[in-house]
Amino acid sequence: MKNIKKMIALIMTLILVFSIGACQPEDVPEDTNDEQAKEGISGIFEGESNGKGGPFVLEVTLENSEIQDIKILESEESSYTEPVIADLTNQIIETNSTDVEVVSGATLTTKAITGAVKDAVKKSGASLVAKEVTEEAEKAEDISTDIVIIGAGGAGLSAAIEATNADAKVIVVEKNGYMGGNTNYATGGMNAANTKYQQDKGIQDSPELYYNDTLKGGKNKNDVSLVKVLTEKAAETVYWLEELGAELSEIGRSGGQSVDRIHKGPGGMPIGTHLMGVFTDQVDKLDIEVRLNTKAIDILGEDNKVIGIKVENKDGNTYNINAKAVIVASGGFGANAEIVTEYNSDLEGFGTTNQPGATGDALAMVDKLDVSLVDIKEIQTHPTVVPIINELITEGVRGDGAILVNREGKRFINELETRDTVSQAILAQEGKTAFLIFDQQVVDTASAIQKYKDAGLLTEADSLKELAQKLDINDEDIENTVNTYNQYYKDQNDPDFNRRKLPVEITNKPFYGVEIGPAIHHTMGGIKINTNTEVINNSGNVVEGLYAAGEVTGGVHGGNRIGGNAVTDITVFGKIAGRNAAEAVKNK
Ligand code: ADP
């Protein structure tokens, strides 16, 4: 991994050099005096900017106006951006310039780093003069392995870890410059039934109940054989993740479930951040080869059998990775508006909660293999996404006590209904958006919610009236609405909308509100697999050597995915794919 990171940094530097041209960076003010630049400024200077999760502070060491070192002092950025931060700081040091390419999917982090370095340089009074750096392009030579995995998200890495532990030689290709895909954005948790943690809390659950909830949530369109595996293997997969280093003992309720079943990261930490930390440590520990900035562009196959993939590296050069098995774990197509609207024209103009790489590349790649696609038109919108900036507010906010009101300050739906029902209800309100309203008690329940506050997403006020005025909603009706809801809390009965879980009264100031609306969130449909994660073609046969797991597949979630089932899906089926592919390649 370290060599790869270094190589990527060098390549990014090369590209940067071409893009910045001959030593005239943006950073040099027009009135730069060459003599002054030559004499230069030396010392250590602190710079600050705003990151995605809060303040971003670093220290720049200058010697003769040349950046020698950058040390991060304070960062609330998600852990998945660590390689991005390392690459960007390397580039800035090597080129002595903050004129770096914005990393897709980590735009705010890129801006946080460049902003803080600019601040430090400004405080120093130095003028940077960019350095020309020439490095060799990345090698693009064909290579062979046992298993090649497309995508370093939760499914791909679960597969990679399991296959490596079963003694297979694995290469993972990831088109982004960092691992994690949409998994990085998973906030809620992981559903599993009848775990020891539920038992400790006296929660009565069973794989059968979980199976029934998943089918009900999925409108009975799910592939029942896959749901059976999902619900029966979830608990053992929780324990498997714990063996790898995860902590999943906290439990909560999420929409569409009849009992508390969602297993959360420590302190309510976003589950994606937690699991990606665990997976990344395993990648290092097991020395799994992950080729970042490497995009799969073709699956090589003949006679209903695959023999590897063709990839393109950051320089645009292509090469083959020959493999005895290919696992497709490239995620969904929620960031590809063209494919989304091709399958559902009603979704034209919707925002997306997906990372920019969720473009459904696999669909074109498997087409020539006549692979069967299932439920491909089933596209889920997440009901609570902040418009324009597309920041998702986790379902946990409602689960932990928030209510939803419209511009009249009135509730209009059971907040814990399934995602599609809540999305439709919001779209029926004036302005096609609504507002989550809650109090300090809800913020205190999870660090994920505190982060929204730190990131400035929440409007805050000491009274409900003031909050309503700030949010531009009816300030009289909101008080009536909350008073009525608080009475329902006392009665533990919601006669208006039959909300089953009323965890707190909305009484403890400050009060919070945030405007939200639905955006494209999850693509339920995709590649057809059997319970061994083998890919099935339109004749109903297995495509030899081809496996798929995670959001790229269809059938597990049917017509609607219930909250907490994505993480279960990617880990249960990712693990199965890794295990089965490793077994299959043993005798080849
Ligand atoms: P899942 O939840 O199913 O694991 P994720 O979205 O978390 O899905 O991860 C899928 C990963 O696959 C993302 O990191 C994405 O950038 C990557 N990916 C998508 N298409 C390709 C491709 N053509 N080549 C390599 N990686 C890809």
Side-chain angles (χ1 to χ4, degrees):
M1 268 303 286
K2 280 188 192 104
N3 284 342
I4 292 172
K5 278 185 200 162
K6 209 170 168 191
M7 212 183 294
I8 289 155
L10 295 181
I11 293 159
M12 290 178 95
T13 305
L14 228 197
I15 288 165
L16 183 74
V17 166
F18 285 124
S19 65
I20 58 181
C23 305
Q24 268 315 316
E26 230 178 46
D27 311 289
V28 183
E30 276 170 26
D31 60 352
T32 299
N33 174 330
D34 277 356
E35 280 309 307
Q36 185 194 341
K38 246 183 245 160
E39 275 170 28
I41 286 173
S42 303
I44 298 175
F45 304 91
E46 208 173 284
E48 192 176 340
S49 66
N50 283 326
K52 191 171 180 189
F56 189 87
V57 187
L58 48 67
E59 204 174 72
V60 175
T61 305
L62 287 175
E63 213 178 287
N64 278 336
S65 294
E66 276 188 12
I67 301 175
Q68 305 296 315
D69 192 23
I70 297 173
K71 208 159 118 196
I72 311 298
L73 301 181
E74 194 184 331
S75 164
E76 296 292 327
E77 302 309 280
S78 303
S79 54
Y80 79 86
T81 61
E82 275 169 22
V84 174
I85 293 173
D87 287 344
L88 288 173
T89 48
N90 270 346
Q91 281 185 63
I92 293 171
I93 294 167
E94 290 191 18
T95 60
N96 204 40
S97 166
T98 53
D99 191 7
V100 292
E101 214 174 278
V102 171
V103 179
S104 160
T107 310
L108 294 178
T109 302
T110 311
K111 287 189 176 154
I113 297 168
T114 53
V117 173
K118 279 180 186 166
D119 183 44
V121 172
K122 192 171 168 207
K123 283 176 187 156
S124 77
S127 297
L128 300 182
V129 175
K131 288 193 279 185
E132 199 168 339
V133 183
T134 41
E135 298 291 346
E136 274 179 33
E138 189 190 37
K139 276 190 193 151
E141 285 170 4
D142 289 0
I143 184 174
S144 295
T145 186
D146 288 337
I147 301 171
V148 66
I149 299 175
I150 306 173
L157 294 179
S158 296
I161 291 163
E162 186 71 352
T164 305
N165 281 332
D167 296 329
K169 165 90 185 90
V170 172
I171 295 178
V172 184
V173 297
E174 167 54 56
K175 70 176 176 182
N176 286 336
Y178 54 90
M179 295 189 277
N182 275 345
T183 305
N184 287 322
Y185 298 173
T187 38
M190 169 174 180
N191 289 337
N194 200 21
T195 61
K196 57 185 177 195
Y197 304 113
Q198 288 176 304
Q199 287 166 11
D200 287 350
K201 294 189 170 68
I203 298 163
Q204 305 262 320
D205 198 6
S206 66
E208 293 74 31
L209 192 57
Y210 178 21
Y211 173 93
N212 290 337
D213 284 346
T214 302
L215 285 187
K216 186 171 169 230
K219 301 173 189 163
N220 283 303
K221 287 185 182 170
N222 323 49
D223 178 329
V224 291
S225 64
L226 295 178
V227 178
K228 201 156 189 306
V229 172
L230 178 90
T231 52
E232 282 177 356
K233 300 250 178 238
E236 68 184 56
T237 307
V238 165
Y239 307 143
W240 175 72
L241 289 166
E242 287 189 331
E243 271 168 33
L244 300 179
E247 246 185 85
L248 295 162
S249 58
E250 288 182 29
I251 298 171
R253 175 82 57 99
S254 176
Q257 295 165 48
S258 46
V259 295
D260 288 358
R261 175 183 292 145
I262 190 163
H263 293 63
K264 301 182 182 187
M269 181 182 187
I271 187 80
T273 311
H274 179 51
L275 289 186
M276 280 310 301
V278 170
F279 291 150
T280 310
D281 287 349
Q282 288 293 322
V283 164
D284 282 343
K285 191 175 143 207
L286 300 172
D287 210 12
I288 297 173
E289 185 172 351
V290 180
R291 296 189 172 203
L292 298 176
N293 294 304
T294 304
K295 180 180 180 184
I297 51 171
D298 197 11
I299 296 175
L300 307 172
E302 49 194 26
D303 301 332
N304 204 32
K305 179 180 166 191
V306 304
I307 54 165
I309 61 172
K310 183 190 270 276
V311 298
E312 184 182 273
N313 71 13
K314 185 120 200 240
D315 309 322
N317 295 324
T318 63
Y319 61 97
N320 291 345
I321 302 180
N322 304 308
K324 296 171 192 163
V326 175
I327 301 176
V328 187
S330 51
F333 57 91
N336 190 328
E338 208 175 303
I339 304 184
V340 164
T341 45
E342 180 189 328
Y343 290 121
N344 185 346
S345 55
D346 291 348
L347 298 176
E348 183 147 12
F350 266 57
T352 181
T353 64
N354 285 235
Q355 61 102 2
T359 45
D361 304 356
L363 299 178
M365 285 191 262
V366 298
D367 192 42
K368 68 165 194 193
L369 295 164
D370 196 31
V371 161
S372 180
L373 300 181
V374 288
D375 297 335
I376 198 74
K377 292 189 173 165
E378 302 295 349
I379 298 169
Q380 181 179 65
T381 57
H382 193 289
T384 58
V385 178
V386 182
I388 301 168
I389 59 168
N390 286 333
E391 271 300 326
L392 185 147
I393 305 292
T394 177
E395 243 158 10
V397 174
R398 280 171 287 144
D400 290 341
I403 57 168
L404 271 174
V405 301
N406 57 20
R407 284 181 165 68
E408 292 162 27
K410 293 190 172 136
R411 287 177 73 213
F412 53 90
I413 182 83
N414 165 7
E415 290 83 358
L416 301 184
E417 264 292 355
T418 55
R419 289 181 172 171
D420 58 340
T421 307
V422 177
S423 292
Q424 287 310 323
I426 294 170
L427 289 176
Q429 307 308 307
E430 188 198 327
K432 297 187 181 303
T433 58
F435 301 83
L436 283 164
I437 304 290
F438 50 99
D439 72 356
Q440 185 61 36
Q441 297 175 86
V442 174
V443 175
D444 291 339
T445 55
S447 58
I449 305 175
Q450 178 67 41
K451 275 194 165 244
Y452 302 140
K453 183 176 167 180
D454 296 343
L457 291 176
L458 308 180
T459 300
E460 193 179 326
D462 278 343
S463 74
L464 286 162
K465 201 174 178 68
E466 187 193 339
L467 182 69
Q469 283 161 356
K470 284 185 175 171
L471 292 170
D472 203 17
I473 53 187
N474 188 312
D475 57 354
E476 276 163 27
D477 282 345
I478 187 95
E479 288 184 324
N480 295 335
T481 301
V482 171
N483 287 340
T484 308
Y485 179 81
N486 286 346
Q487 186 56 47
Y488 294 167
Y489 162 80
K490 289 193 185 95
D491 303 341
Q492 281 298 298
N493 179 31
D494 168 18
D496 291 343
F497 300 103
N498 199 23
R499 174 175 172 149
R500 288 181 303 277
K501 195 173 181 191
L502 302 122
V504 284
E505 262 182 298
I506 303 174
T507 45
N508 289 14
K509 68 178 189 186
F511 299 98
Y512 299 92
V514 54
E515 184 176 359
I516 48 77
I520 288 152
H521 187 50
H522 191 96
T523 48
M524 269 81 65
I527 293 172
K528 185 173 171 67
I529 53 166
N530 63 19
T531 52
N532 296 326
T533 68
E534 292 165 305
V535 171
I536 308 297
N537 68 14
N538 282 319
S539 315
N541 297 321
V542 164
V543 180
E544 201 187 319
L546 189 60
Y547 300 79
E551 195 175 345
V552 75
T553 65
V556 175
H557 308 292
N560 175 52
R561 176 179 67 82
I562 57 174
N565 263 5
V567 175
T568 315
D569 176 18
I570 62 179
T571 52
V572 166
F573 289 101
K575 180 171 179 280
I576 293 174
R579 172 66 51 175
N580 287 341
E583 287 302 321
V585 302
K586 261 186 193 152
N587 304 319
K588 279 193 178 175

